[in-house]
Amino acid sequence: MGTPIKTYSIEQVGDLVERAGLPTFRTGQLLGWLYEKGAASYDEMTNLPKAMREQFAIEYPIHHAVISNKQESIDGSRKYLLRFHDDVVVETVGLPSEDGRLTVCCSSQAGCAMACSFYATGRQGLTRNLCVGEIVDQVLAVQKDFGKRVTNVVVMGQGEPFANYDAVLAALRIINHQKLLNIGARHITVSTCGIIEGIERFSQEPEQFTLAVSLHAARQNIRDEIMPAMKNQRLGALRKALDSYATVTGRRFSFEYALMRGVNDGEEDLEALVDYCRRLLCHVNLIPLNEIDDSPIQPVDRSVLEDWKARLEDSGIAASVRKSRGSDIAGACGQLANISRLPAVLYL
Ligand code: SAH
């Protein structure tokens, strides 16, 4: 059994083609079949030499994701359960907006190892990392299902992207590539729970990808409680890495802060957040907490979110309240938890 072709980056596919003694233009053709046309087998790649197709089919098999379930929200967003060759499943969400944009919320891992207390995926633990093509295939599947071009990608689904850094970056390069999915780097956002080493690496990448950081608390003891895996990524060191990210890239990043009643919504929490953000090139995205099953953590009233927004803005910190979508199908932020008890209907 060979190594699946979709585990390779653009450069690595180029190396495989070169090693097979084939001319360079075959790389572009092959990548186009995989990531523009979404080919499920080498048989479809009719402009490639037969010998190459036969050799690659043995050495680098193609694994194709299938949509095993789909639910549509009253707001038009669609949540998909994607099944990979080894029966591992992840959830992906397609979010159309009135202005014609179509955003895909991608997963970077099946499950998540971070165990955040308010995050449905965190409860299942980590199943495995997704490979390059499994991340790109999520975008292709949504594009095909909506029958229209995806304009934005957010890596904010299941998993922690910086715990699967190389595959995520290689996938983003395919999504960004002009001859492949051609989605502008500024329209691609990676959301991390705050892995400092990942932020440092990300600031060195040449593309202008956007960064979002799930902060959820600017007081160390509260953050330790709700995001236990971040205990060794201290708030002070995180702030320093983000300050340097903004200096190196010249780009603003955003903080995500889901307000949880009685947990991180007090006056002290707000003051800590204001202090934390002061003189940082950041934007604060306040998130109405989406409830997850059997969790004692509750959202705050809408007025609290508006009040926090006003207070942050008064302190000179850019802030907005995230419009939550898809919560009726448990497709909103934090709710993705592989509801595999749903019947496995094939939509593709
Ligand atoms: N590991 C990454 C991406 C996965 S979390 C990260 O931590 O950012 C995906 C997004 O959902 C993040 O913005 C996270 O802060 C948010 N989120 C998690 N649980 C949530 C909940 N219950 N309600 C609202 N947003 C939540």
Side-chain angles (χ1 to χ4, degrees):
M1 196 58 181
T3 309
I5 189 75
K6 288 183 182 174
T7 58
Y8 294 106
S9 66
I10 292 177
E11 293 71 31
Q12 288 168 335
V13 171
D15 292 344
L16 300 182
V17 167
E18 195 185 318
R19 223 180 300 148
L22 295 157
T24 314
F25 72 93
R26 296 294 184 204
T27 305
Q29 288 179 317
L30 173 55
L31 287 166
W33 278 109
L34 292 171
Y35 296 124
E36 208 195 326
K37 303 185 187 77
S41 86
Y42 286 101
D43 299 336
E44 297 171 42
M45 305 184 185
T46 43
N47 60 354
L48 296 183
K50 194 147 186 289
M52 172 184 176
R53 286 190 268 152
E54 283 170 0
Q55 180 194 344
F56 273 56
I58 294 165
E59 291 179 13
Y60 315 111
I62 299 180
H63 289 151
H64 194 66
V66 291
I67 297 180
S68 71
N69 207 304
K70 176 170 89 168
Q71 286 171 282
E72 181 151 351
S73 159
I74 38 168
D75 64 25
S77 50
R78 297 179 194 169
K79 181 173 78 166
Y80 306 87
L81 190 67
L82 283 196
R83 189 178 301 279
F84 300 119
H85 68 285
D86 56 357
D87 282 340
V88 165
V89 288
V90 295
E91 290 182 335
T92 303
V93 186
L95 302 134
S97 26
E98 277 157 20
D99 59 9
R101 281 181 304 158
L102 176 58
T103 302
V104 176
C105 179
C106 274
S107 296
S108 54
Q109 298 180 306
C112 188
M114 300 299 154
C116 297
S117 62
F118 49 88
Y119 180 48
T121 316
R123 293 174 167 186
Q124 344 174 116
L126 178 68
T127 305
R128 68 166 171 84
N129 277 333
L130 299 191
C131 73
V132 180
E134 290 171 333
I135 299 169
V136 182
D137 278 352
Q138 297 175 54
V139 182
L140 287 173
V142 176
Q143 185 153 281
K144 188 169 173 196
D145 189 59
F146 273 87
K148 79 186 252 209
R149 218 177 93 73
V150 169
T151 58
N152 297 67
V153 171
V154 294
V155 187
M156 276 188 201
Q158 294 173 344
E160 167 47 42
F162 287 169
N164 186 18
Y165 192 98
D166 291 333
V168 168
L169 257 286
L172 297 190
R173 297 213 158 99
I174 291 170
I175 292 168
N176 175 231
H177 198 285
Q178 276 189 349
K179 291 198 171 135
L180 299 171
L181 278 90
N182 194 23
I183 298 175
R186 286 161 189 257
H187 297 155
I188 299 174
T189 302
V190 176
S191 178
T192 176
C193 58
I195 295 182
I196 293 167
E197 201 193 331
I199 295 169
E200 288 167 351
R201 275 183 81 181
F202 201 59
S203 62
Q204 303 298 325
E205 303 296 352
E207 296 89 355
Q208 297 191 308
F209 297 131
T210 303
L211 176 68
V213 177
S214 293
L215 189 65
H216 304 308
R219 291 163 67 198
Q220 192 67 57
N221 58 330
I222 308 292
R223 200 163 193 265
D224 288 351
E225 215 170 280
I226 58 179
M227 302 176 74
M230 290 295 100
K231 277 185 185 158
N232 57 356
Q233 313 279 308
R234 311 299 287 170
L235 279 168
L238 175 63
R239 192 181 183 286
K240 239 170 123 184
L242 289 168
D243 197 20
S244 128
Y245 168 89
T247 310
V248 171
T249 63
R251 292 199 301 279
R252 183 188 292 253
F253 58 90
S254 59
F255 280 129
E256 291 152 303
Y257 196 110
L259 278 154
M260 307 171 208
R261 190 191 299 262
V263 176
N264 64 356
D265 64 339
E267 183 60 31
E268 237 183 306
D269 300 292
L270 177 56
E271 280 167 17
L273 179 61
V274 168
D275 270 353
Y276 198 74
C277 294
R278 219 171 248 137
R279 288 185 293 279
L280 272 184
L281 188 58
C282 68
H283 172 104
V284 178
N285 209 341
L286 298 165
I287 309 178
L289 182 81
N290 293 304
E291 288 182 66
I292 56 173
D293 286 349
D294 314 318
S295 167
I297 303 178
Q298 296 295 316
V300 297
D301 292 339
R302 183 85 202 174
S303 60
V304 179
L305 289 154
E306 293 302 337
D307 185 42
W308 274 51
K309 174 176 173 331
R311 293 275 303 275
L312 285 163
E313 285 173 343
D314 284 349
S315 309
I317 298 158
S320 54
V321 176
R322 180 183 284 174
K323 193 168 154 242
S324 184
R325 305 187 45 192
S327 53
D328 56 325
I329 51 167
C333 306
Q335 294 183 315
L336 303 182
N338 291 351
I339 319 172
S340 14
R341 58 186 130 95
L342 295 171
V345 183
L346 276 188
Y347 282 91
L348 274 185

